[in-house]
Amino acid sequence: MYQIHCLNPISKVGLNHLSENYSLTDNAAEADGILVRSAVMHDMELSDRLLAVARAGAGYNNIPLDKCAQKGIVVFNTPGANANGVKEMIIAAMLLASRDIVGGIEWVKENHQNPEIAKATEKAKKAFAGTEIMGKTLGVIGLGAIGAMVANVAEQLGMKVMGYDPFLSVDAAWKLSHSVKHVTDVNEIYSSCDFITIHVPAMDSTKGMIGKDAIALMKPNAVILNFARDVLCDEQAVVDALAEGRIRRYVSDFPTPVTSGKPGCIVIPHLGASTEESEDNCAVMAVKEIEDYLENGSIVNSVNYPRCEVGPCRTASRVAVLHRNVAGMLTAITTCAADAGINIAEVVNKSRDEVAYTLIDLDQKATAQMVDSLNAISGVFRVRVIK
């Protein structure tokens, strides 16, 4: 029986997918797996029993990836599960930035007691007039699950779309409309587009990527949309540019002291993926990822270990070894089986940067001697006997 702990409220639709082999626990120290949304885990004591963490969402900066990797804890996220919810919010954001809908609604609230409000409206509405998005150019930085969906819908709405992604996968490329122009220089996005939306992970190389230099290339009517991470934009540079009339609007899903309430900023309280459907989809995917890993050793959508898709074990035993990615490790692992007199039916070895993952299917049950020998190898983080 596996124990699962939820650090945040997790959709019941997802939890209902847990099989009879699982139970929920309120004690994180007893958990084999943890489901999390926004709770910060960096200062959390990670139990030696913990095998996996699944983030019900795409972002994972609330989880200590390196710390988990070195303890042999696989961390998953759920890319694409909330993409539609974010996509719809971005389309709404473009409309909010193009036409002063918010200002118009506020005017109605302020004048709701005016018995002549209908007549006054005809004079006041000019102040909230805007432009249409049809025919405008949208630049999409990052063509993953969300970026590709935004690009395709924008094209269907009559917009011209340019996309930038130096790491565009073949799978992502297939999902893009043939009308989306793929550019290889992000500066072309900055200089050519009326709307710019960013969809890249927050890393040292991407933090502040939309700053003074990028803004200097933009049109004075440019609208920046940030529904990925607040740190991707130098928000002070954005606020300064708005004040100086060098860009038109900044729409963000991340309230911060820098942008909240500032002229030209439309700040939304992190609602991008906050739909019932998105939360359900993320929870279902997170549960399936943990189940597949705990029961079969499969790793899909991990952010700290390599992808390793395998089916159920068809031999007498399956052993997983999580270890450093160093020379000679595979030989050392297989030697442990040989020394125990156990024949190896199949070996799968995958690596990712400094860590690696090895699955060995055996024709006999793994013995305590073999497991002890594996654990004694320098550079091994964890050994799991799955079957």
Side-chain angles (χ1 to χ4, degrees):
M1 176 72 72
Y2 294 110
Q3 301 261 49
I4 302 296
H5 177 71
C6 300
L7 284 179
N8 297 106
I10 300 296
S11 161
K12 289 184 179 180
V13 174
L15 295 179
N16 287 341
H17 277 262
L18 288 170
S19 73
E20 57 191 17
N21 297 323
Y22 296 81
S23 63
L24 297 177
T25 176
D26 292 330
N27 187 353
E30 297 177 349
D32 301 290
I34 283 179
L35 294 169
V36 61
R37 291 173 62 197
S38 58
V40 177
M41 298 182 62
H42 289 280
D43 296 326
M44 181 177 170
E45 186 69 29
L46 301 177
S47 137
D48 289 338
R49 176 168 174 165
L50 184 62
L51 300 173
V53 175
R55 160 79 166 95
Y60 43 83
N61 57 348
N62 56 321
I63 304 171
L65 300 186
D66 291 342
K67 179 180 177 182
C68 287
Q70 291 170 16
K71 287 182 68 70
I73 300 169
V74 180
V75 180
F76 300 91
N77 70 340
T78 57
N82 58 13
N84 188 70
V86 179
K87 174 207 72 179
E88 290 184 359
M89 184 63 76
I90 292 167
I91 299 302
M94 285 197 289
L95 295 171
L96 290 173
S98 297
R99 310 175 70 172
D100 192 6
I101 299 169
V102 174
I105 292 172
E106 291 302 316
W107 180 89
V108 172
K109 287 181 180 179
E110 293 168 3
N111 291 272
H112 74 281
Q113 293 183 326
N114 181 358
E116 300 294 326
I117 189 171
K119 186 176 180 179
T121 293
E122 295 308 311
K123 293 182 179 179
K125 70 179 184 180
K126 294 181 181 179
F128 312 113
T131 59
E132 299 176 11
I133 64 174
M134 184 176 181
K136 304 300 188 299
T137 302
L138 170 67
V140 183
I141 302 173
L143 295 166
I146 296 172
M149 291 180 75
V150 171
N152 290 343
V153 171
E155 190 269 336
Q156 292 169 2
L157 291 171
M159 301 185 76
K160 301 172 185 176
V161 184
M162 300 171 64
Y164 169 79
D165 192 332
F167 307 107
L168 181 64
S169 68
V170 173
D171 183 57
W174 275 108
K175 294 177 182 178
L176 275 175
S177 166
H178 65 86
S179 299
V180 175
K181 179 183 178 183
H182 186 227
V183 300
T184 57
D185 184 354
V186 71
N187 290 329
E188 193 172 346
I189 296 281
Y190 297 143
S191 62
S192 304
C193 296
D194 304 295
F195 295 85
I196 299 168
T197 182
I198 185 167
H199 302 283
V200 298
M203 303 182 294
D204 290 340
S205 60
T206 60
K207 290 179 180 178
M209 68 178 293
I210 296 186
K212 290 182 179 179
D213 292 342
I215 292 171
L217 298 173
M218 295 180 188
K219 298 178 178 182
N221 70 327
V223 173
I224 301 171
L225 308 165
N226 185 359
F227 284 75
R229 284 291 180 268
D230 57 333
V231 295
L232 299 174
C233 293
D234 179 342
E235 293 193 322
Q236 189 57 57
V238 170
V239 170
D240 291 344
L242 287 166
E244 296 167 10
R246 289 187 282 113
I247 57 174
R248 182 179 178 183
R249 289 278 192 278
Y250 177 63
V251 191
S252 171
D253 203 25
F254 309 99
T256 69
V258 178
T259 57
S260 299
K262 297 299 193 309
C265 293
I266 300 173
V267 184
I268 299 167
H270 204 187
L271 299 181
S274 295
T275 66
E276 291 182 12
E277 294 87 348
S278 288
E279 291 180 8
D280 290 348
N281 292 340
C282 288
V284 169
M285 184 182 289
V287 165
K288 288 182 177 180
E289 290 167 346
I290 278 192
E291 285 184 316
D292 198 16
Y293 176 65
L294 295 181
E295 296 175 21
N296 300 316
S298 285
I299 297 179
V300 181
N301 296 326
S302 173
V303 292
N304 68 339
Y305 269 92
R307 189 180 188 93
C308 182
E309 291 187 77
V310 293
C313 179
R314 305 299 183 189
T315 59
S317 184
R318 174 174 287 172
V319 177
V321 185
L322 299 92
H323 55 90
R324 294 190 186 281
N325 184 23
V326 293
M329 186 63 75
L330 186 57
T331 299
I333 291 171
T334 55
T335 297
C336 290
D339 290 345
I342 299 175
N343 186 57
I344 296 175
E346 188 174 1
V347 177
V348 179
N349 174 259
K350 302 289 184 179
S351 63
R352 176 175 181 169
D353 300 326
E354 297 179 357
V355 300
Y357 184 64
T358 300
L359 277 179
I360 48 177
D361 283 0
L362 307 170
D363 286 334
Q364 296 88 39
K365 286 287 186 181
T367 63
Q369 172 197 340
M370 176 183 168
V371 172
D372 289 343
S373 297
L374 289 170
N375 276 312
I377 299 173
S378 176
V380 167
F381 302 132
R382 185 191 291 270
V383 178
R384 288 185 60 213
V385 178
I386 298 170
K387 178 182 177 183

